[in-house]
Amino acid sequence: MTDDLLPLRGSPGSPYTRKMLGLVRYRRIPYRFIQVESDDLPKPKVRLVPVVYFEGNDGQLVAEVDSTPIIRRLEDEYPGRSVIPADPAIAFVNYLLEDYGDEWLTKAMFHYRWYYDADIEMAGSVLPHYADVTQSDERMQAAKRAFSERQISRLYVVGSNDTTASVIEASYVRFMETLNAHLKAFPFLMGARPGSADFACFGQLTQLTQFDPTPAAIAVARFPRIHAWVSKMEDHGGLEPSEEGWVTFEDFPATLTALLEEVGRTYVPVILANARAIEEGLPEVETEVDGRTWTQEPFPYQAKCLQWIRVEYVKLDEQDRERVDALLAGTGCERLVAKPGAV
Ligand SMILES: N[C@@H](CCC(=O)N[C@@H](CS)C(=O)NCC(=O)O)C(=O)O
């Protein structure tokens, strides 16, 4: 491949693909969006989308998955219009909120899509067409059944079940209320310019607010501001960010503290209990979220996410760590980076 367009493979129905598409458009990275698997491109180590194909030292393309590290690599390879806040303490908050978007909001996304009949009907009917819209109706009917059954059987992966459904749905509404309050004062989570956390939440919200009927109805009825925010986030290639556009430590918005409290109420207990279950080899994660029971099968990838959050924290110098501690204090998120037994 000799053109200089960055190959990016994915699907419109994939929230992480939408995260990457919004990001490359905002960053003005010339890209080509590939919507089919092709033998001309190398296979990634794990069968996930989005895939970004980077040029290796030998000039051959290398397939990479996992949007969070890909975004950091793009920062190195394409300067300017960064999505990582300049202040390391704010960059840590951005990292944490990006992880929350990717790993917690996606529970709401996957749950709503494959839990209720109306949502299953919509996703099952439309999503298989993304592979090839010219396929016959008969083929699509068969694909609808197979695809829906497979996805419903995987609800357990994100922890969606009859015990957790009400916890997930209440957390979606609280997240929307908190984001809505923040957007009354700031166009982005990270201030006057978007951070990678904005793109992570945006990716999930493309589906939650604009595709899946049950969560989209909530967005339309109660959060039209967020519906509009999502449409605008699709392409901020025309935005001219200023260097000082980030939220600051000194004027840290109360609405972002409220969002960190929401992270502390939901994601933090689950990611900690998950890591504990994996460490101890337990068959089940059991904890409480907001006073209600949470049970799910352990999810090894999210144990890694916790490690990566801790690596980000350890990378900070002492002064920045103290500033992060001050921002997280009382939100519940301090438990992520505290020494065991300290909180
Ligand atoms: N942590 C990954 C998650 C990517 C992911 O979970 N992608 C989903 C689609 S949105 C996927 O490919 N699932 C496998 C499948 O559907 O077969 C990222 O940030 O890119």
Side-chain angles (χ1 to χ4, degrees), residues 14-16 47-50 66-68 102-103 150 154 301:
S14 147
Y16 303 94
R47 235 182 145 281
L48 291 174
V49 289
D66 210 352
S67 57
T68 300
D102 285 347
E103 304 301 328
R150 173 169 166 267
R154 292 169 70 208
Y301 179 78

